């Protein structure tokens, strides 16, 4: 098991800055967090090695590529044995349109988030899922009309206990 480093306020600040802009140069990052470049780079490498930074990526504006529809789907399985959950989860992974899958408590089993080209695309995909017999007893679709707030991750500072949602953004 990897011995995870204990995070201090500078580490949290580094993570927060990388979360805002993963393409920031080491020199810019060092200035933002109040370190010289060499110790800053060493901390970033330590955070990466410790698994605190799992990857760097670009967030693509999919609407620029064409029509995009977000659909949330609640799914209830017909049976609730361990193998039923495994079969569903393995089968649903194969759909690239699926961007989130959550096993939830409450009135249904899974909450799925799909990004599709349109309603016809979504319906065709759902028909394929049902034909594959993944154990779906029923499902309900929720078409997204508008997304006034979309965050890709919660703020690192909030989760680390180093900030609250009452503080203005830095």
């Amino acid at each position: 098991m990897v011995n995870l480093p204990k995070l201090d306020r500078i580490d949290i600040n580094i993570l927060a800055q990388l979360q805002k802009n993963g393409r920031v140069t080491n020199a810019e990052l060092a200035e933002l967090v109040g370190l010289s470049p060499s110790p800053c780079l060493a901390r970033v490498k330590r955070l990466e090695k410790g698994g605190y930074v799992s990857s760097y990526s670009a967030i693509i504006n999919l609407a620029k590529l064409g029509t995009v529809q977000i659909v949330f789907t609640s799914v209830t399985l017909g049976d609730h044995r361990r193998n039923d959950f495994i079969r569903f989860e393995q089968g649903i992974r194969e759909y690239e349109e699926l961007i989130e899958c959550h096993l939830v408590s409450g009135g249904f089993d899974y909450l799925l988030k799909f990004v599709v080209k349109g309603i016809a695309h979504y319906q065709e995909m759902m028909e394929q899922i049902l034909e594959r017999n993944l154990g779906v007893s029923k499902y309900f679709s929720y078409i997204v009309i508008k997304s006034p707030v979309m965050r890709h991750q919660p703020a690192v500072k909030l989760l680390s206990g180093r900030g609250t949602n009452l503080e203005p953004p830095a």
Side-chain angles (χ1 to χ4, degrees), residues 50-65:
Y52 290 98
V53 178
S54 58
S55 70
Y56 295 92
S57 65
I59 298 168
I60 309 300
N61 182 351
L62 295 177
K64 294 279 190 181
L65 301 175

Side-chain angles (χ1 to χ4, degrees), residues 100-120:
E100 293 181 21
C101 175
H102 306 276
L103 178 63
V104 297
S105 63
F108 53 90
D109 298 313
Y110 288 94
L111 181 62
L112 311 177
K113 182 179 180 182
F114 293 101
V115 176
V116 293
K117 292 183 241 173
I119 303 305

Side-chain angles (χ1 to χ4, degrees), residues 14 25-27 29-30 33 35-48 56:
I14 288 171
T25 67
N26 184 58
L29 180 60
V33 300
L35 291 174
S36 59
S38 183
C40 182
L41 183 59
R43 282 181 181 249
V44 170
K45 296 293 183 195
R46 181 176 52 100
L47 291 167
E48 289 172 346
Y56 295 92

Side-chain angles (χ1 to χ4, degrees), residues 11-160:
D11 293 324
I12 298 297
N13 198 7
I14 288 171
L15 292 173
Q17 295 301 328
L18 288 173
Q19 189 177 45
K20 287 180 192 173
N21 179 6
R23 294 184 61 172
V24 66
T25 67
N26 184 58
E28 293 168 332
L29 180 60
E31 187 174 320
L32 289 168
V33 300
L35 291 174
S36 59
S38 183
C40 182
L41 183 59
R43 282 181 181 249
V44 170
K45 296 293 183 195
R46 181 176 52 100
L47 291 167
E48 289 172 346
K49 185 177 180 184
Y52 290 98
V53 178
S54 58
S55 70
Y56 295 92
S57 65
I59 298 168
I60 309 300
N61 182 351
L62 295 177
K64 294 279 190 181
L65 301 175
T67 303
V68 174
Q69 182 64 61
I70 299 171
V71 182
F72 287 93
T73 306
S74 64
V75 171
T76 302
L77 300 182
D79 291 306
H80 293 91
R81 295 178 305 263
R82 183 173 188 264
N83 284 340
D84 298 313
F85 291 101
I86 291 169
R87 177 179 54 165
F88 177 78
E89 290 174 14
Q90 286 176 342
I92 202 71
R93 267 191 183 95
E94 297 176 19
Y95 293 87
E96 290 184 341
E97 297 90 343
L98 178 69
I99 60 170
E100 293 181 21
C101 175
H102 306 276
L103 178 63
V104 297
S105 63
F108 53 90
D109 298 313
Y110 288 94
L111 181 62
L112 311 177
K113 182 179 180 182
F114 293 101
V115 176
V116 293
K117 292 183 241 173
I119 303 305
H121 177 198
Y122 171 75
Q123 187 59 37
E124 181 181 311
M125 181 195 61
M126 288 307 298
E127 288 170 3
Q128 288 175 2
I129 290 170
L130 294 172
E131 287 173 5
R132 290 187 57 210
N133 194 23
L134 298 179
V136 176
S137 168
K138 63 182 175 181
Y139 74 95
F140 292 95
S141 306
Y142 305 91
I143 309 301
V144 173
I145 306 299
K146 179 180 175 183
S147 299
V149 176
M150 282 187 60
R151 294 188 177 103
H152 301 285
Q153 291 185 338
V156 167
K157 287 187 177 187
L158 291 176
L159 297 177
S160 69

